Amino acid sequence: MPFPLQPPTGSPRSEWAWSRLPPLLHAGSPASDSGSRVSSAARFMWRRPSRSVLRGVRSVVEQRSRPEAATEQAARAMERAVVRCVPSEPKLSLSFALADGSHKKMQRDQSEPLGRVLSRIATNALKGHAKAAAAKKNRKNRAQSGGGAACAPEPAAACEPVVKLYYREEAVADDVLNVDAWQDGAVLQIGDIKYKVERNPPAFTELQLPRYFMAGFPVCPKLSLEFGDSANSVFRWYKEVQPGAAEPGDGGLESSSRPGPSSAWTETGVTERVYTPCNADIGLRLKLHCTPGNGQRFGPSRELESVCPVEAGPGTCTFDHRHLYTKKVTEDSIIRTVSYNILADTYAQTEFSRTVLYPYCAPYALEIDYRQNLIQKELTGYNADLICLQEVDRAVFTDSLVPALEAFGLEGVFRIKQHEGLATFYRKSKFNLLSQHDISFQEALESDPLHKDLLEKLALNPLALDKVLQRSSVLQISVLQSIKDSSKKICVANTHLYWHPKGGYIRLVQMAVALAHIRHVSCELYPGLPVLFCGDFNSTPSTGVYHFVTNGSIPEDHEDWASNGEKERCSMSLSHLFKLKSACGEPAYTNYVGCFHGCLDYIFIDLNALEVEQVIPLPSHEEVTTHQALPSVSHPSDHIALVCDLKWN
């Protein structure tokens, strides 16, 4: 699909795209022919340009000399042959359409002589011509047999078409290797048809819409690009027109892929990657037309239609009132931080969760396709600079969180635990990722000399040691550097400690390993690095873990050393040198389910470098218990996100 000639008014994206129209008309530009070949079905994809737009295009062409304009017109009339050639791969791909309408995609060795490929193309073209001729003859015979007329004589055998590749108007020799022959701007001739070669144009390698859409909840397609980026790509959203609501024409886009009464589409006016359906969209399907770009040229367009229509949202959500405090991205001196256990799908979908843990929650509200709509809206509404998440399924990270948060300026890193893991996102306009230092507690304890003393103390009780080494918990550490002030760096730690109520001593050991590793990163690898430690610690303020973190030590006679009975007691005194404080204090609860509620989540900050600017209020108890407990139709997790604004001392 060519670059649209009539961008919607009032859109920064459309103005940006429109300013690039003249270069797209230049014959020497690889993008000038990116959409020159349009099938008859696709000719209705963009509404007809207005007279003023056509006058603008005409004036651009008239400014150039007549021979140059003629060359441009010829170039625009060419078909397209797209070549993908990556040095690290042994083969290149060649894609084009034959005269009979069939699409050919060939995989050839990069080291193969050009002549072999051209010979194969000629054979394919001959077969296609013969097939088209036979089909035409059959149609004619059927028509004539109905009227009693005699059949037409057999046509003469078709000759193999001449197939040549030209570069700068000179034929490329047959012995030139494919890797050198198929240059950008070359011309492939098959019989009377000419194809302009586009080598490695921007292209989508993956493009997918979510399954469900809800009014008021942002929709962001999952996409991956090659030789391009989403920032320089063009997006246009359309919505279905109900029968009788409007006629397709200048105001709409007619669908060629879904015949029937609801085959008309109208522009929404949104030309960004993210689209938020409104109440007027309820009951309508959505369509996305997107063209990949890289700032210099555009590649082949693709189009997606939603499977299901937009549904009504759940009404007021627990986080809607919180978003009133986070409407804008903070200034450079502030770091808005979020810590949130989003409830892994692998746990939410168990029979135990549905019948025992969350029997009060509507089954559909536990489905990830539903919950991810709420998670995306909640997280994007916080306009955070740092987001530390726990219980993140790998698929949720790649398919949902990355595209949604990337569209709002955040980039993420992931650390798998076993069935799920940890994710840390940071705002790209504020931070660079310098390094990562993730560990598994079990592996670090066994193999890292840093924890030798701790391992020796723990080995005095083999039963306790065995229990600790069975746990798969991990620690994610990301070292970030300020974009505005390179002297400012921060160590962002994220973890999810062992969950069992009787696992207090296991959590103490895990915390000891975590703090020792954080000290190694923040004091030895990056001396003087401030620490921000987020996570689900599965520890209330009365437990040994919280006491250890905030007081700097834990005595050997603390009751948590015998949390699972005297047989597993592993008493030891531990200490650390950090000065850490819970930025959000000690809320009554951050986890609220039918059988338990308590404060388990924290954002610990280094008091030597950071201070709290504000804490975003948690949902009221009435909001949390509207549907008895969490999760619910208006809240996607059994935990509540902690959100606070921090600033450098």
Side-chain angles (χ1 to χ4, degrees), residues 595-610:
C595 56
F596 170 83
H597 63 272
C599 180
L600 304 178
D601 307 83
Y602 306 94
I603 298 175
F604 293 116
I605 61 171
D606 189 338
L607 291 177
N608 291 324
L610 300 169

Side-chain angles (χ1 to χ4, degrees), residues 120-306:
R120 176 59 64 88
I121 293 174
T123 301
N124 288 335
L126 182 60
K127 290 179 180 177
H129 175 79
K131 184 177 179 181
K136 182 178 180 181
K137 176 188 172 184
N138 289 335
R139 288 194 300 270
K140 186 175 181 180
N141 285 345
R142 284 195 299 271
Q144 290 177 339
S145 62
C151 294
E154 288 286 337
C159 297
E160 186 173 285
V162 175
V163 179
K164 280 288 184 181
L165 183 67
Y166 298 89
Y167 187 64
R168 295 177 180 173
E169 300 184 352
E170 293 186 5
V172 182
D174 287 352
D175 60 352
V176 176
L177 303 183
N178 280 331
V179 66
D180 300 316
W182 298 96
Q183 294 297 319
D184 195 60
V187 175
L188 171 66
Q189 182 168 354
I190 305 176
D192 296 331
I193 303 176
K194 291 183 178 181
Y195 301 79
K196 184 172 182 181
V197 174
E198 295 183 25
R199 178 163 170 153
N200 295 342
F204 292 111
T205 57
E206 184 176 20
L207 189 61
Q208 182 179 344
L209 286 175
R211 186 177 177 184
Y212 294 111
F213 303 84
M214 292 195 298
F217 290 76
V219 176
C220 184
K222 176 189 176 184
L223 61 82
S224 298
L225 289 103
E226 198 170 41
F227 317 119
D229 58 86
S230 60
N232 287 301
S233 299
V234 179
F235 302 90
R236 284 201 175 196
W237 289 90
Y238 297 81
K239 63 181 178 180
E240 203 172 25
V241 177
Q242 293 283 21
E247 292 295 328
D250 283 350
L253 173 71
E254 186 171 345
S255 170
S256 61
S257 59
R258 184 183 173 93
S262 297
S263 60
W265 301 85
T266 184
E267 292 188 56
T268 64
V270 175
T271 56
E272 301 293 336
R273 179 177 174 181
V274 177
Y275 176 68
T276 303
C278 61
N279 288 336
D281 297 336
I282 295 174
L284 305 178
R285 293 186 306 119
L286 301 178
K287 175 180 282 190
L288 172 64
H289 184 91
C290 39
T291 306
N294 59 13
Q296 297 177 333
R297 59 174 173 162
F298 295 91
S301 298
R302 288 182 61 183
E303 193 173 85
L304 295 174
E305 293 181 15
S306 64

Side-chain angles (χ1 to χ4, degrees), residues 17-86:
W18 180 245
S19 69
R20 284 158 173 74
L21 180 58
L24 292 176
L25 294 174
H26 196 283
S29 168
S32 63
D33 300 295
S34 63
S36 60
R37 182 183 178 276
V38 185
S39 67
S40 59
R43 297 183 192 277
F44 299 96
M45 299 182 89
W46 299 108
R47 60 182 181 179
R48 183 178 179 181
S50 65
R51 287 192 178 92
S52 62
V53 173
L54 291 176
R55 284 197 298 270
V57 175
R58 192 178 300 117
S59 66
V60 171
V61 176
E62 289 173 351
Q63 289 174 8
R64 304 178 182 177
S65 63
R66 294 187 64 182
E68 188 178 10
T71 302
E72 291 170 0
Q73 185 176 1
R76 289 196 297 274
M78 283 189 190
E79 303 286 345
R80 307 174 68 225
V82 176
V83 174
R84 180 184 179 278
C85 184
V86 180

Side-chain angles (χ1 to χ4, degrees), residues 207-510:
L207 189 61
Q208 182 179 344
L209 286 175
R211 186 177 177 184
Y212 294 111
F213 303 84
M214 292 195 298
F217 290 76
V219 176
C220 184
K222 176 189 176 184
L223 61 82
S224 298
L225 289 103
E226 198 170 41
F227 317 119
D229 58 86
S230 60
N232 287 301
S233 299
V234 179
F235 302 90
R236 284 201 175 196
W237 289 90
Y238 297 81
K239 63 181 178 180
E240 203 172 25
V241 177
Q242 293 283 21
E247 292 295 328
D250 283 350
L253 173 71
E254 186 171 345
S255 170
S256 61
S257 59
R258 184 183 173 93
S262 297
S263 60
W265 301 85
T266 184
E267 292 188 56
T268 64
V270 175
T271 56
E272 301 293 336
R273 179 177 174 181
V274 177
Y275 176 68
T276 303
C278 61
N279 288 336
D281 297 336
I282 295 174
L284 305 178
R285 293 186 306 119
L286 301 178
K287 175 180 282 190
L288 172 64
H289 184 91
C290 39
T291 306
N294 59 13
Q296 297 177 333
R297 59 174 173 162
F298 295 91
S301 298
R302 288 182 61 183
E303 193 173 85
L304 295 174
E305 293 181 15
S306 64
V307 176
C308 301
V310 176
E311 299 177 358
T316 303
C317 292
T318 55
F319 44 80
D320 288 338
H321 182 73
R322 308 184 79 191
H323 286 171
L324 298 177
Y325 297 86
T326 60
K327 288 184 176 181
K328 297 180 180 180
V329 175
T330 60
E331 59 189 54
D332 292 335
S333 61
I334 302 296
I335 307 172
R336 178 167 295 150
T337 304
V338 174
S339 184
Y340 195 9
N341 180 327
I342 62 173
L343 179 57
D345 184 52
T346 189
Y347 303 144
Q349 290 306 306
T350 65
E351 186 65 22
F352 182 75
S353 293
R354 288 191 292 266
T355 60
V356 179
L357 287 181
Y358 320 122
Y360 47 82
C361 184
Y364 74 87
L366 285 176
E367 297 286 342
I368 189 59
D369 287 327
Y370 178 88
R371 292 198 301 117
Q372 70 180 2
N373 280 285
L374 274 66
I375 292 170
Q376 289 177 2
K377 182 179 182 180
E378 179 173 9
L379 291 178
T380 56
Y382 289 138
N383 285 303
D385 303 311
L386 294 174
I387 302 178
C388 291
L389 304 176
Q390 305 85 41
E391 287 198 23
V392 181
D393 301 274
R394 185 186 293 276
V396 170
F397 176 79
T398 57
D399 299 347
S400 174
L401 294 175
V402 167
L405 295 178
E406 179 185 69
F408 286 86
L410 295 123
E411 190 164 311
V413 290
F414 180 71
R415 168 69 194 216
I416 191 68
K417 183 174 69 175
Q418 192 172 19
H419 303 295
E420 38 81 13
L422 307 169
T424 298
F425 288 87
Y426 57 92
R427 185 163 298 281
K428 293 184 287 185
S429 63
K430 285 193 176 185
F431 294 104
N432 281 323
L433 177 64
L434 292 185
S435 58
Q436 294 175 255
H437 307 273
D438 306 345
I439 61 167
S440 158
F441 291 129
Q442 170 257 321
E443 292 176 1
L445 184 60
E446 283 189 299
S447 60
D448 193 334
L450 190 65
H451 313 294
K452 180 182 177 182
D453 291 343
L454 179 61
L455 180 62
E456 290 177 350
K457 292 178 181 178
L458 192 58
L460 296 176
N461 188 327
L463 183 58
L465 174 62
D466 184 60
K467 288 288 186 68
V468 170
L469 296 181
Q470 288 177 14
R471 308 279 70 84
S472 59
S473 304
V474 296
L475 172 71
Q476 184 181 44
I477 292 184
S478 307
V479 177
L480 303 176
Q481 182 180 46
S482 169
I483 296 286
K484 301 294 183 180
D485 185 352
S486 59
S487 66
K488 289 183 177 178
K489 303 179 183 69
I490 190 168
C491 172
V492 181
N494 182 19
T495 195
H496 185 189
L497 301 186
Y498 180 50
W499 65 273
H500 200 283
K502 294 184 178 181
Y505 78 88
I506 296 177
R507 287 187 286 275
L508 276 171
V509 173
Q510 290 179 340

